[in-house]
Amino acid sequence: MSENSTPIRTVSTPAEGEAGKTGDWRSQTPKIDHEKCSQKDSCLLCWLYCPDGVISSTFPLEINLTYCKGCGICAEECPRKAIEMVDDK
Amino acid sequence: MATTSVKQLPKTEMILPGTRSCAGCGLMLTYRHALKALDEGKTIVAVPASCMTVLHGVYPITPVKVVCINNPFAATGAAASGIVAGLKATGKSDYTVVAFAGDGGTYDIGIQALSGALERGVNFIYICYDNEGYMNTGTQRSSASPMGAVTSTTPILAKLQHKKDMIRIVEAHDLPYIATGSPAFPFDLFDKVKYAKDVLGSRYIEVHAPCPPGWGFPNKDLVKIGKLAVESGIHVLFEIREGRFSLTSQSLVMAKKGRKKNVSDYIKGQTRFKRISGDHLAQLQEFTDRKWNESLERHFRDNP
């Protein structure tokens, strides 16, 4: 078999940040008020509705701001209004 | 057992952060919960040219931890059939093949390959995420766009025709399982994909995936718009198991307690409906009422 006949594999490998640090897209940043948050496993609506899955499922909640795109769904859906969208300067 | 609490959902994420999808993407939320319902490492996804291909990333990196095959736009059904045949030939019986296409790749361009695969009874799940247009290429009209929607190919008069009833086309193939879902109701969506996984034969799930840039609503309103679509009856949540039709989730609640929202509540927050005429709005309401009443009738006939 000649060297040229080596099969070329075009298989992508999974990795974070495929589109770069998508946190740069944000114009507003979510800020969590941990005192207002119920800190109960039975709520977690922010985690449930985050399209990018960047909110932790453990308490106190943490948002991965490197990749959070700032859509604001978490702030909108939080029943206790514990998340606020703050304008980036 | 139906999922009723967040605690019951698997916490592992199959999609790594930093994807190419827009902020507040309805498809992304759909995909996230659909993949949670499938087995890690035992799922193969077939994806045509669509927002989904964009989400799957550019070689050599992908954010999705599931094996995926990118296929031509019209060939999703055929590609999935090929994967199923390949798995059978190599004796791998524990894999689930899932085709994931948009409304363009299902209602319009992919319908021939889909119909072929359904007719052959290929053992796979076909999930159509319906964002009501060709969103990836710049919001062109598809046969899934609703009447009165402004798209880049219907910019002046807005769309003049109603949405195609894809479920009836799919149902004509006598499938063991057909369902509709919405990312605004993740438990319902999760349960349906989980149930579909263990059904033998072709399964079809249609998900109504709101698209903030294409429909013209703020990113933060994704879940709100998704819920309004169900509450107004524009999108009905149901499943058809071996021909038995049952409403589920919010639609089932509405069947018992009545529908409190109408089409104008749903279209209010979306700029794509800015040119809708009074006549078209009345027609859209009438169309929605007719579909809703048909669903109610079928539900109570099959579930006396």
Side-chain angles (χ1 to χ4, degrees):
Chain A
M1 218 193 243
S2 71
E3 249 177 74
N4 292 341
S5 64
T6 318
I8 301 166
R9 288 179 74 242
T10 48
V11 180
S12 297
T13 17
E16 277 187 10
E18 188 276 323
K21 293 195 170 34
T22 49
D24 296 349
W25 300 4
R26 239 180 11 243
S27 56
Q28 287 189 315
T29 302
K31 286 258 159 22
I32 306 173
D33 183 339
H34 294 289
E35 295 201 343
K36 275 194 191 170
C37 173
S38 71
Q39 312 234 6
K40 287 202 177 92
D41 278 344
S42 52
C43 179
L44 278 179
L45 286 182
C46 50
W47 172 83
L48 182 73
Y49 286 126
C50 175
D52 288 86
V54 293
I55 304 181
S56 68
S57 55
T58 48
F59 295 98
L61 288 176
E62 263 177 63
I63 299 180
N64 185 344
L65 291 176
T66 317
Y67 297 115
C68 165
K69 294 170 184 165
C71 64
I73 294 174
C74 50
E76 190 71 13
E77 295 305 318
C78 177
R80 291 168 165 249
K81 299 276 166 256
I83 304 177
E84 193 193 349
M85 297 304 287
V86 184
D87 281 339
D88 284 348
K89 299 260 160 54
Chain B
M1 231 353 234
T3 307
T4 48
S5 159
V6 181
K7 281 188 266 187
Q8 288 163 279
L9 290 180
K11 293 288 186 287
T12 39
E13 300 294 341
M14 306 287 269
I15 309 172
L16 297 166
T19 64
R20 221 161 272 265
S21 72
C22 307
C25 176
L27 157 64
M28 187 70 192
L29 190 54
T30 305
Y31 200 30
R32 188 177 156 224
H33 289 293
L35 287 184
K36 277 180 193 290
L38 300 163
D39 290 338
E40 190 177 354
K42 292 286 176 199
T43 305
I44 301 175
V45 181
V47 174
S50 57
C51 289
M52 192 63 132
T53 335
V54 177
L55 194 160
H56 266 274
V58 179
Y59 180 79
I61 306 175
T62 174
V64 188
K65 292 195 272 181
V66 170
V67 181
C68 164
I69 292 178
N70 284 299
N71 53 261
F73 212 157
T76 317
S81 305
I83 301 168
V84 172
L87 288 170
K88 195 178 167 195
T90 47
K92 290 172 183 156
S93 57
D94 51 349
Y95 280 81
T96 310
V97 177
V98 187
F100 233 111
D103 55 298
T106 306
Y107 284 61
D108 301 341
I109 297 173
I111 193 167
Q112 175 270 127
L114 170 64
S115 179
L118 298 184
E119 186 269 328
R120 291 189 297 272
V122 174
N123 186 22
F124 79 128
I125 309 177
Y126 192 101
I127 301 181
C128 165
Y129 64 92
D130 174 14
N131 47 23
E132 305 189 327
Y134 291 85
M135 297 320 184
N136 178 34
T137 48
T139 349
Q140 288 86 358
R141 164 206 195 280
S142 81
S143 55
S145 309
M147 176 181 271
V150 169
T151 66
S152 53
T153 40
T154 56
I156 311 292
L157 295 175
K159 197 187 165 192
L160 302 171
Q161 298 82 11
H162 282 302
K163 183 181 184 129
K164 180 152 94 184
D165 193 344
M166 191 64 194
I167 295 289
R168 266 162 72 190
I169 297 175
V170 170
E171 223 191 335
H173 296 79
D174 255 336
L175 301 194
Y177 189 71
I178 300 170
T180 58
S182 165
F185 298 92
F187 299 157
D188 180 64
L189 176 67
F190 176 83
D191 286 343
K192 283 168 176 168
V193 179
K194 207 170 176 64
Y195 181 84
K197 186 172 77 89
D198 299 323
V199 176
L200 215 65
S202 306
R203 296 85 92 188
Y204 180 85
I205 301 176
E206 185 166 299
V207 184
H208 191 246
C211 169
W215 298 9
F217 62 85
N219 296 339
K220 66 178 171 62
D221 288 344
L222 171 78
V223 176
K224 207 187 273 177
I225 295 285
K227 282 185 177 164
L228 272 174
V230 174
E231 285 163 0
S232 62
I234 285 265
H235 181 66
V236 184
L237 297 176
F238 60 81
E239 56 183 8
I240 308 171
R241 295 183 185 184
E242 302 285 357
R244 185 170 169 229
F245 182 101
S246 316
L247 293 169
T248 60
S249 188
Q250 182 65 25
S251 292
L252 182 62
V253 174
M254 283 157 53
K256 290 172 183 156
K257 294 189 176 163
R259 194 160 47 124
K260 296 189 180 73
K261 299 262 165 55
N262 50 35
V263 171
S264 54
D265 296 318
Y266 167 68
I267 67 170
K268 202 160 50 185
Q270 303 172 46
T271 57
R272 64 172 173 160
F273 288 108
K274 66 187 171 194
R275 284 175 189 269
I276 194 167
S277 61
D279 179 39
H280 277 170
L281 180 57
Q283 280 189 51
L284 189 59
Q285 182 67 55
E286 191 271 327
F287 177 78
T288 309
D289 290 348
R290 187 159 46 95
K291 294 277 171 201
W292 172 248
N293 289 332
E294 277 172 17
S295 303
L296 275 184
E297 210 174 286
R298 248 188 113 178
H299 172 77
F300 287 116
R301 194 179 60 217
D302 291 355
N303 301 278

